[in-house]
Short mmCIF file of all heavy atoms in Angstrom, two decimals:
data_model
loop_
_atom_site.label_atom_id
_atom_site.label_comp_id
_atom_site.label_asym_id
_atom_site.label_seq_id
_atom_site.Cartn_x
_atom_site.Cartn_y
_atom_site.Cartn_z
N VAL B 68 -13.94 74.14 -12.07
CA VAL B 68 -15.26 74.74 -12.27
C VAL B 68 -16.32 73.65 -12.17
O VAL B 68 -17.32 73.78 -11.46
CB VAL B 68 -15.33 75.45 -13.65
CG1 VAL B 68 -16.75 75.91 -13.92
CG2 VAL B 68 -14.36 76.62 -13.69
N ARG B 69 -16.06 72.53 -12.87
CA ARG B 69 -17.02 71.43 -12.79
C ARG B 69 -17.15 70.92 -11.37
O ARG B 69 -18.26 70.68 -10.87
CB ARG B 69 -16.55 70.29 -13.72
CG ARG B 69 -17.40 69.05 -13.55
CD ARG B 69 -16.98 67.90 -14.45
NE ARG B 69 -17.49 66.65 -13.89
CZ ARG B 69 -17.16 65.45 -14.34
NH1 ARG B 69 -16.34 65.34 -15.37
NH2 ARG B 69 -17.64 64.38 -13.78
N LEU B 70 -16.01 70.77 -10.69
CA LEU B 70 -16.01 70.20 -9.35
C LEU B 70 -16.91 71.01 -8.41
O LEU B 70 -17.77 70.46 -7.73
CB LEU B 70 -14.58 70.18 -8.82
CG LEU B 70 -14.34 69.49 -7.48
CD1 LEU B 70 -14.63 68.01 -7.61
CD2 LEU B 70 -12.91 69.71 -7.01
N TRP B 71 -16.71 72.33 -8.42
CA TRP B 71 -17.46 73.15 -7.46
C TRP B 71 -18.87 73.42 -7.92
O TRP B 71 -19.66 74.05 -7.20
CB TRP B 71 -16.70 74.45 -7.16
CG TRP B 71 -15.47 74.14 -6.37
CD1 TRP B 71 -14.19 74.13 -6.82
CD2 TRP B 71 -15.40 73.73 -4.99
NE1 TRP B 71 -13.33 73.75 -5.82
CE2 TRP B 71 -14.05 73.50 -4.69
CE3 TRP B 71 -16.36 73.52 -3.99
CZ2 TRP B 71 -13.62 73.07 -3.44
CZ3 TRP B 71 -15.93 73.10 -2.72
CH2 TRP B 71 -14.57 72.88 -2.47
N ASN B 72 -19.22 72.96 -9.12
CA ASN B 72 -20.61 73.03 -9.56
C ASN B 72 -21.33 71.70 -9.39
O ASN B 72 -22.45 71.54 -9.83
CB ASN B 72 -20.69 73.48 -11.02
CG ASN B 72 -20.54 74.98 -11.12
OD1 ASN B 72 -21.19 75.72 -10.39
ND2 ASN B 72 -19.68 75.42 -12.01
N THR B 73 -20.65 70.73 -8.80
CA THR B 73 -21.24 69.42 -8.62
C THR B 73 -21.83 69.32 -7.21
O THR B 73 -21.09 69.37 -6.23
CB THR B 73 -20.18 68.31 -8.80
OG1 THR B 73 -19.57 68.49 -10.07
CG2 THR B 73 -20.80 66.94 -8.72
N PRO B 74 -23.15 69.20 -7.11
CA PRO B 74 -23.76 69.15 -5.77
C PRO B 74 -23.19 68.02 -4.93
O PRO B 74 -23.01 68.16 -3.71
CB PRO B 74 -25.25 68.91 -6.05
CG PRO B 74 -25.46 69.29 -7.47
CD PRO B 74 -24.16 69.11 -8.18
N ARG B 75 -22.86 66.89 -5.58
CA ARG B 75 -22.36 65.76 -4.82
C ARG B 75 -21.04 66.10 -4.13
O ARG B 75 -20.79 65.67 -2.99
CB ARG B 75 -22.16 64.57 -5.76
CG ARG B 75 -21.57 63.36 -5.06
CD ARG B 75 -21.55 62.17 -5.98
NE ARG B 75 -20.57 61.20 -5.51
CZ ARG B 75 -20.13 60.19 -6.24
NH1 ARG B 75 -20.57 60.03 -7.47
NH2 ARG B 75 -19.25 59.34 -5.76
N TRP B 76 -20.20 66.88 -4.79
CA TRP B 76 -18.91 67.25 -4.19
C TRP B 76 -19.12 68.18 -3.01
O TRP B 76 -18.49 68.03 -1.96
CB TRP B 76 -18.01 67.92 -5.24
CG TRP B 76 -16.75 68.44 -4.67
CD1 TRP B 76 -16.41 69.76 -4.47
CD2 TRP B 76 -15.62 67.67 -4.20
NE1 TRP B 76 -15.18 69.85 -3.91
CE2 TRP B 76 -14.67 68.59 -3.73
CE3 TRP B 76 -15.37 66.30 -4.11
CZ2 TRP B 76 -13.45 68.18 -3.19
CZ3 TRP B 76 -14.15 65.90 -3.59
CH2 TRP B 76 -13.21 66.83 -3.13
N ILE B 77 -20.05 69.14 -3.15
CA ILE B 77 -20.33 70.06 -2.04
C ILE B 77 -20.82 69.27 -0.83
O ILE B 77 -20.36 69.47 0.30
CB ILE B 77 -21.40 71.11 -2.46
CG1 ILE B 77 -21.05 71.75 -3.80
CG2 ILE B 77 -21.62 72.14 -1.37
CD1 ILE B 77 -19.95 72.75 -3.76
N THR B 78 -21.76 68.32 -1.08
CA THR B 78 -22.25 67.47 0.01
C THR B 78 -21.08 66.71 0.64
O THR B 78 -20.98 66.60 1.86
CB THR B 78 -23.26 66.44 -0.53
OG1 THR B 78 -24.16 67.12 -1.41
CG2 THR B 78 -24.03 65.80 0.58
N SER B 79 -20.19 66.18 -0.22
CA SER B 79 -19.08 65.38 0.29
C SER B 79 -18.19 66.19 1.21
O SER B 79 -17.82 65.74 2.30
CB SER B 79 -18.24 64.84 -0.87
OG SER B 79 -19.02 64.08 -1.73
N ILE B 80 -17.86 67.41 0.77
CA ILE B 80 -16.97 68.25 1.57
C ILE B 80 -17.64 68.62 2.89
O ILE B 80 -17.01 68.56 3.95
CB ILE B 80 -16.61 69.53 0.76
CG1 ILE B 80 -15.59 69.19 -0.33
CG2 ILE B 80 -16.09 70.62 1.65
CD1 ILE B 80 -14.19 68.98 0.20
N THR B 81 -18.94 68.96 2.82
CA THR B 81 -19.66 69.29 4.04
C THR B 81 -19.64 68.10 4.99
O THR B 81 -19.40 68.25 6.19
CB THR B 81 -21.12 69.66 3.72
OG1 THR B 81 -21.12 70.46 2.54
CG2 THR B 81 -21.76 70.41 4.85
N ASN B 82 -19.92 66.92 4.44
CA ASN B 82 -19.93 65.72 5.28
C ASN B 82 -18.57 65.45 5.90
O ASN B 82 -18.48 65.04 7.05
CB ASN B 82 -20.35 64.50 4.45
CG ASN B 82 -21.85 64.47 4.23
OD1 ASN B 82 -22.58 65.13 4.94
ND2 ASN B 82 -22.29 63.71 3.24
N LEU B 83 -17.52 65.71 5.14
CA LEU B 83 -16.18 65.46 5.69
C LEU B 83 -15.94 66.40 6.86
O LEU B 83 -15.38 65.98 7.89
CB LEU B 83 -15.12 65.69 4.60
CG LEU B 83 -13.68 65.43 5.06
CD1 LEU B 83 -13.52 63.96 5.46
CD2 LEU B 83 -12.68 65.78 3.97
N ALA B 84 -16.39 67.65 6.73
CA ALA B 84 -16.21 68.60 7.82
C ALA B 84 -17.00 68.14 9.05
O ALA B 84 -16.47 68.10 10.16
CB ALA B 84 -16.66 69.99 7.39
N ILE B 85 -18.26 67.73 8.82
CA ILE B 85 -19.09 67.26 9.95
C ILE B 85 -18.42 66.05 10.61
O ILE B 85 -18.24 66.01 11.82
CB ILE B 85 -20.49 66.86 9.45
CG1 ILE B 85 -21.24 68.09 8.95
CG2 ILE B 85 -21.29 66.17 10.56
CD1 ILE B 85 -22.59 67.76 8.31
N TYR B 86 -18.03 65.09 9.78
CA TYR B 86 -17.45 63.87 10.32
C TYR B 86 -16.13 64.17 11.03
O TYR B 86 -15.90 63.73 12.16
CB TYR B 86 -17.22 62.85 9.20
CG TYR B 86 -16.59 61.57 9.67
CD1 TYR B 86 -17.37 60.58 10.26
CD2 TYR B 86 -15.23 61.35 9.52
CE1 TYR B 86 -16.80 59.41 10.70
CE2 TYR B 86 -14.65 60.17 9.96
CZ TYR B 86 -15.44 59.20 10.55
OH TYR B 86 -14.87 58.03 11.00
N GLY B 87 -15.27 64.97 10.36
CA GLY B 87 -13.95 65.26 10.92
C GLY B 87 -14.07 65.93 12.27
O GLY B 87 -13.41 65.51 13.25
N ILE B 88 -14.91 66.96 12.36
CA ILE B 88 -15.02 67.72 13.61
C ILE B 88 -15.65 66.86 14.71
O ILE B 88 -15.10 66.74 15.81
CB ILE B 88 -15.82 69.01 13.38
CG1 ILE B 88 -15.02 69.97 12.48
CG2 ILE B 88 -16.15 69.68 14.70
CD1 ILE B 88 -15.81 71.13 11.95
N LEU B 89 -16.78 66.23 14.38
CA LEU B 89 -17.47 65.46 15.43
C LEU B 89 -16.65 64.25 15.86
O LEU B 89 -16.52 63.95 17.03
CB LEU B 89 -18.85 65.01 14.92
CG LEU B 89 -19.88 66.11 14.78
CD1 LEU B 89 -21.22 65.53 14.36
CD2 LEU B 89 -20.04 66.85 16.10
N TYR B 90 -16.08 63.54 14.87
CA TYR B 90 -15.33 62.34 15.19
C TYR B 90 -14.10 62.67 16.02
O TYR B 90 -13.87 62.12 17.09
CB TYR B 90 -14.94 61.61 13.90
CG TYR B 90 -14.04 60.43 14.09
CD1 TYR B 90 -14.53 59.24 14.60
CD2 TYR B 90 -12.68 60.50 13.78
CE1 TYR B 90 -13.71 58.15 14.79
CE2 TYR B 90 -11.84 59.42 13.96
CZ TYR B 90 -12.35 58.25 14.46
OH TYR B 90 -11.53 57.17 14.65
N SER B 91 -13.30 63.66 15.55
CA SER B 91 -12.09 64.02 16.30
C SER B 91 -12.47 64.52 17.68
O SER B 91 -11.88 64.10 18.69
CB SER B 91 -11.29 65.10 15.57
OG SER B 91 -11.22 64.83 14.21
N GLY B 92 -13.47 65.41 17.74
CA GLY B 92 -13.86 66.01 19.01
C GLY B 92 -14.31 64.96 20.02
O GLY B 92 -13.76 64.87 21.13
N PHE B 93 -15.27 64.15 19.59
CA PHE B 93 -15.81 63.17 20.53
C PHE B 93 -14.79 62.08 20.86
O PHE B 93 -14.75 61.60 22.01
CB PHE B 93 -17.09 62.55 19.98
CG PHE B 93 -18.30 63.38 20.22
CD1 PHE B 93 -18.87 64.13 19.22
CD2 PHE B 93 -18.86 63.44 21.49
CE1 PHE B 93 -19.98 64.93 19.46
CE2 PHE B 93 -19.97 64.23 21.74
CZ PHE B 93 -20.54 64.98 20.72
N ALA B 94 -13.99 61.69 19.88
CA ALA B 94 -12.98 60.67 20.16
C ALA B 94 -12.03 61.18 21.25
O ALA B 94 -11.65 60.44 22.16
CB ALA B 94 -12.21 60.31 18.90
N PHE B 95 -11.68 62.46 21.15
CA PHE B 95 -10.78 63.04 22.15
C PHE B 95 -11.44 63.06 23.52
O PHE B 95 -10.87 62.59 24.51
CB PHE B 95 -10.41 64.48 21.75
CG PHE B 95 -9.01 64.62 21.30
CD1 PHE B 95 -8.66 64.36 19.99
CD2 PHE B 95 -8.03 65.01 22.21
CE1 PHE B 95 -7.35 64.47 19.59
CE2 PHE B 95 -6.72 65.13 21.80
CZ PHE B 95 -6.37 64.87 20.49
N VAL B 96 -12.65 63.62 23.59
CA VAL B 96 -13.30 63.81 24.88
C VAL B 96 -13.63 62.46 25.51
O VAL B 96 -13.26 62.19 26.66
CB VAL B 96 -14.57 64.66 24.71
CG1 VAL B 96 -15.35 64.72 26.01
CG2 VAL B 96 -14.19 66.06 24.24
N ILE B 97 -14.30 61.59 24.73
CA ILE B 97 -14.69 60.30 25.29
C ILE B 97 -13.46 59.47 25.62
O ILE B 97 -13.36 58.85 26.69
CB ILE B 97 -15.62 59.53 24.33
CG1 ILE B 97 -16.90 60.35 24.07
CG2 ILE B 97 -16.00 58.17 24.90
CD1 ILE B 97 -17.79 59.77 23.01
N GLY B 98 -12.48 59.48 24.71
CA GLY B 98 -11.26 58.72 24.94
C GLY B 98 -10.56 59.18 26.21
O GLY B 98 -10.12 58.37 27.03
N PHE B 99 -10.52 60.50 26.41
CA PHE B 99 -9.85 61.03 27.60
C PHE B 99 -10.61 60.66 28.86
O PHE B 99 -10.01 60.21 29.85
CB PHE B 99 -9.72 62.56 27.47
CG PHE B 99 -8.99 63.19 28.63
CD1 PHE B 99 -7.62 63.03 28.77
CD2 PHE B 99 -9.69 63.92 29.58
CE1 PHE B 99 -6.95 63.59 29.84
CE2 PHE B 99 -9.01 64.50 30.65
CZ PHE B 99 -7.65 64.33 30.78
N LEU B 100 -11.94 60.82 28.82
CA LEU B 100 -12.74 60.48 30.02
C LEU B 100 -12.59 59.01 30.36
O LEU B 100 -12.38 58.67 31.54
CB LEU B 100 -14.21 60.82 29.76
CG LEU B 100 -14.54 62.31 29.77
CD1 LEU B 100 -16.01 62.54 29.47
CD2 LEU B 100 -14.16 62.93 31.11
N LEU B 101 -12.64 58.15 29.35
CA LEU B 101 -12.47 56.72 29.62
C LEU B 101 -11.11 56.44 30.23
O LEU B 101 -10.98 55.67 31.16
CB LEU B 101 -12.63 55.91 28.32
CG LEU B 101 -14.05 55.73 27.80
CD1 LEU B 101 -14.03 55.01 26.46
CD2 LEU B 101 -14.89 54.95 28.80
N ALA B 102 -10.09 57.12 29.68
CA ALA B 102 -8.73 56.90 30.17
C ALA B 102 -8.62 57.35 31.63
O ALA B 102 -7.99 56.68 32.45
CB ALA B 102 -7.73 57.64 29.31
N VAL B 103 -9.25 58.50 31.94
CA VAL B 103 -9.18 58.99 33.32
C VAL B 103 -9.88 58.01 34.27
O VAL B 103 -9.36 57.66 35.32
CB VAL B 103 -9.84 60.40 33.40
CG1 VAL B 103 -10.06 60.78 34.85
CG2 VAL B 103 -8.96 61.42 32.71
N LEU B 104 -11.06 57.53 33.84
CA LEU B 104 -11.77 56.57 34.67
C LEU B 104 -10.93 55.32 34.89
O LEU B 104 -10.88 54.75 35.96
CB LEU B 104 -13.11 56.19 34.03
CG LEU B 104 -14.14 57.32 33.97
CD1 LEU B 104 -15.39 56.85 33.23
CD2 LEU B 104 -14.48 57.80 35.36
N MET B 105 -10.26 54.92 33.79
CA MET B 105 -9.43 53.72 33.82
C MET B 105 -8.22 53.93 34.72
O MET B 105 -7.63 52.98 35.22
CB MET B 105 -8.97 53.43 32.40
CG MET B 105 -8.69 52.00 32.12
SD MET B 105 -10.20 51.11 32.13
CE MET B 105 -10.42 50.98 30.40
N ASP B 106 -7.85 55.18 34.91
CA ASP B 106 -6.64 55.53 35.64
C ASP B 106 -6.86 55.51 37.15
O ASP B 106 -5.95 55.76 37.92
CB ASP B 106 -6.17 56.93 35.19
CG ASP B 106 -4.73 57.19 35.59
OD1 ASP B 106 -3.97 56.21 35.64
OD2 ASP B 106 -4.40 58.35 35.86
N GLN B 107 -8.11 55.23 37.57
CA GLN B 107 -8.42 55.32 39.00
C GLN B 107 -8.05 54.05 39.74
O GLN B 107 -8.63 53.72 40.74
CB GLN B 107 -9.90 55.64 39.22
CG GLN B 107 -10.39 56.87 38.48
CD GLN B 107 -9.56 58.11 38.76
OE1 GLN B 107 -9.31 58.44 39.92
NE2 GLN B 107 -9.07 58.76 37.71
N LYS B 108 -7.10 53.31 39.21
CA LYS B 108 -6.63 52.07 39.86
C LYS B 108 -7.80 51.13 40.12
O LYS B 108 -7.97 50.62 41.23
CB LYS B 108 -5.90 52.37 41.19
CG LYS B 108 -4.90 53.49 41.11
CD LYS B 108 -3.50 52.94 41.11
CE LYS B 108 -2.40 53.91 40.70
NZ LYS B 108 -2.65 55.29 40.43
N ILE B 109 -8.66 50.96 39.13
CA ILE B 109 -9.83 50.11 39.31
C ILE B 109 -9.44 48.65 39.21
O ILE B 109 -8.39 48.31 38.65
CB ILE B 109 -10.91 50.40 38.24
CG1 ILE B 109 -10.26 50.41 36.86
CG2 ILE B 109 -11.61 51.71 38.53
CD1 ILE B 109 -11.24 50.35 35.75
N ARG B 110 -10.33 47.80 39.72
CA ARG B 110 -10.07 46.37 39.64
C ARG B 110 -10.34 45.92 38.19
O ARG B 110 -11.11 46.53 37.48
CB ARG B 110 -11.01 45.64 40.60
CG ARG B 110 -10.43 44.31 41.07
CD ARG B 110 -11.34 43.71 42.10
NE ARG B 110 -11.40 44.56 43.33
CZ ARG B 110 -12.19 44.27 44.34
NH1 ARG B 110 -12.97 43.22 44.32
NH2 ARG B 110 -12.19 45.05 45.42
N ALA B 111 -9.70 44.85 37.78
CA ALA B 111 -9.92 44.25 36.46
C ALA B 111 -9.76 45.25 35.32
O ALA B 111 -10.50 45.27 34.36
CB ALA B 111 -11.29 43.58 36.37
N GLU B 112 -8.79 46.15 35.48
CA GLU B 112 -8.56 47.16 34.46
C GLU B 112 -8.29 46.53 33.10
O GLU B 112 -8.78 47.00 32.08
CB GLU B 112 -7.37 48.03 34.89
CG GLU B 112 -7.14 49.21 33.95
CD GLU B 112 -5.72 49.74 34.08
OE1 GLU B 112 -5.32 50.06 35.22
OE2 GLU B 112 -5.04 49.84 33.06
N GLY B 113 -7.51 45.45 33.13
CA GLY B 113 -7.16 44.78 31.88
C GLY B 113 -8.39 44.35 31.10
O GLY B 113 -8.46 44.48 29.88
N VAL B 114 -9.41 43.87 31.84
CA VAL B 114 -10.64 43.40 31.19
C VAL B 114 -11.31 44.58 30.47
O VAL B 114 -11.68 44.50 29.30
CB VAL B 114 -11.60 42.78 32.22
CG1 VAL B 114 -12.92 42.40 31.55
CG2 VAL B 114 -10.95 41.58 32.86
N PHE B 115 -11.47 45.70 31.19
CA PHE B 115 -12.14 46.86 30.60
C PHE B 115 -11.35 47.39 29.40
O PHE B 115 -11.92 47.75 28.37
CB PHE B 115 -12.32 47.96 31.64
CG PHE B 115 -13.43 47.67 32.60
CD1 PHE B 115 -13.16 47.25 33.89
CD2 PHE B 115 -14.74 47.78 32.17
CE1 PHE B 115 -14.19 46.96 34.76
CE2 PHE B 115 -15.78 47.49 33.04
CZ PHE B 115 -15.50 47.08 34.35
N ARG B 116 -10.04 47.45 29.58
CA ARG B 116 -9.21 47.98 28.50
C ARG B 116 -9.41 47.13 27.24
O ARG B 116 -9.54 47.64 26.14
CB ARG B 116 -7.74 47.96 28.92
CG ARG B 116 -6.94 49.06 28.28
CD ARG B 116 -5.59 49.18 28.94
NE ARG B 116 -4.98 47.87 29.18
CZ ARG B 116 -4.03 47.65 30.05
NH1 ARG B 116 -3.56 48.63 30.78
NH2 ARG B 116 -3.52 46.45 30.20
N THR B 117 -9.45 45.82 27.45
CA THR B 117 -9.65 44.92 26.30
C THR B 117 -11.00 45.17 25.65
O THR B 117 -11.11 45.26 24.43
CB THR B 117 -9.55 43.46 26.77
OG1 THR B 117 -8.40 43.32 27.57
CG2 THR B 117 -9.49 42.52 25.59
N ILE B 118 -12.04 45.32 26.50
CA ILE B 118 -13.39 45.53 25.96
C ILE B 118 -13.42 46.80 25.12
O ILE B 118 -13.92 46.80 23.99
CB ILE B 118 -14.42 45.62 27.09
CG1 ILE B 118 -14.59 44.26 27.75
CG2 ILE B 118 -15.75 46.13 26.58
CD1 ILE B 118 -15.47 44.25 28.97
N TYR B 119 -12.85 47.88 25.64
CA TYR B 119 -12.90 49.15 24.91
C TYR B 119 -12.05 49.09 23.63
O TYR B 119 -12.33 49.75 22.65
CB TYR B 119 -12.43 50.31 25.79
CG TYR B 119 -13.42 50.63 26.88
CD1 TYR B 119 -13.02 50.77 28.20
CD2 TYR B 119 -14.77 50.80 26.57
CE1 TYR B 119 -13.93 51.07 29.20
CE2 TYR B 119 -15.68 51.10 27.55
CZ TYR B 119 -15.27 51.22 28.87
OH TYR B 119 -16.16 51.51 29.85
N LEU B 120 -10.99 48.31 23.70
CA LEU B 120 -10.07 48.28 22.56
C LEU B 120 -10.52 47.31 21.48
O LEU B 120 -10.12 47.41 20.33
CB LEU B 120 -8.66 47.89 23.06
CG LEU B 120 -7.46 48.39 22.23
CD1 LEU B 120 -7.64 49.86 21.89
CD2 LEU B 120 -6.18 48.17 22.99
N TYR B 121 -11.40 46.38 21.86
CA TYR B 121 -11.79 45.34 20.93
C TYR B 121 -12.34 45.87 19.58
O TYR B 121 -11.94 45.40 18.53
CB TYR B 121 -12.80 44.37 21.55
CG TYR B 121 -12.23 42.99 21.75
CD1 TYR B 121 -12.31 42.34 22.97
CD2 TYR B 121 -11.58 42.35 20.69
CE1 TYR B 121 -11.74 41.09 23.15
CE2 TYR B 121 -11.03 41.10 20.88
CZ TYR B 121 -11.12 40.48 22.11
OH TYR B 121 -10.56 39.24 22.29
N PRO B 122 -13.26 46.84 19.60
CA PRO B 122 -13.80 47.30 18.30
C PRO B 122 -12.72 47.71 17.31
O PRO B 122 -12.85 47.56 16.10
CB PRO B 122 -14.67 48.49 18.68
CG PRO B 122 -15.04 48.25 20.09
CD PRO B 122 -13.86 47.55 20.71
N PHE B 123 -11.59 48.21 17.85
CA PHE B 123 -10.52 48.67 16.97
C PHE B 123 -9.91 47.51 16.18
O PHE B 123 -9.31 47.71 15.13
CB PHE B 123 -9.44 49.39 17.78
CG PHE B 123 -8.44 50.10 16.93
CD1 PHE B 123 -8.82 51.23 16.20
CD2 PHE B 123 -7.14 49.65 16.81
CE1 PHE B 123 -7.93 51.89 15.39
CE2 PHE B 123 -6.22 50.31 16.01
CZ PHE B 123 -6.62 51.42 15.30
N ALA B 124 -10.07 46.31 16.70
CA ALA B 124 -9.53 45.13 16.00
C ALA B 124 -10.37 44.79 14.78
O ALA B 124 -9.96 44.03 13.92
CB ALA B 124 -9.46 43.95 16.95
#
Side-chain angles (χ1 to χ4, degrees):
Chain B
V68 173
R69 172 179 159 189
L70 186 66
W71 291 105
N72 279 313
T73 305
R75 177 173 159 195
W76 174 253
I77 310 285
T78 315
S79 302
I80 285 284
T81 319
N82 282 342
L83 182 63
I85 294 174
Y86 179 80
I88 292 168
L89 289 183
Y90 174 75
S91 316
F93 277 104
F95 251 85
V96 173
I97 300 173
F99 182 72
L100 287 178
L101 284 176
V103 167
L104 293 177
M105 208 69 101
D106 196 32
Q107 306 307 309
K108 314 255 166 4
I109 49 166
R110 207 175 295 176
E112 186 200 307
V114 175
F115 284 105
R116 210 169 43 201
T117 312
I118 290 174
Y119 289 131
L120 206 47
Y121 248 129
F123 190 69

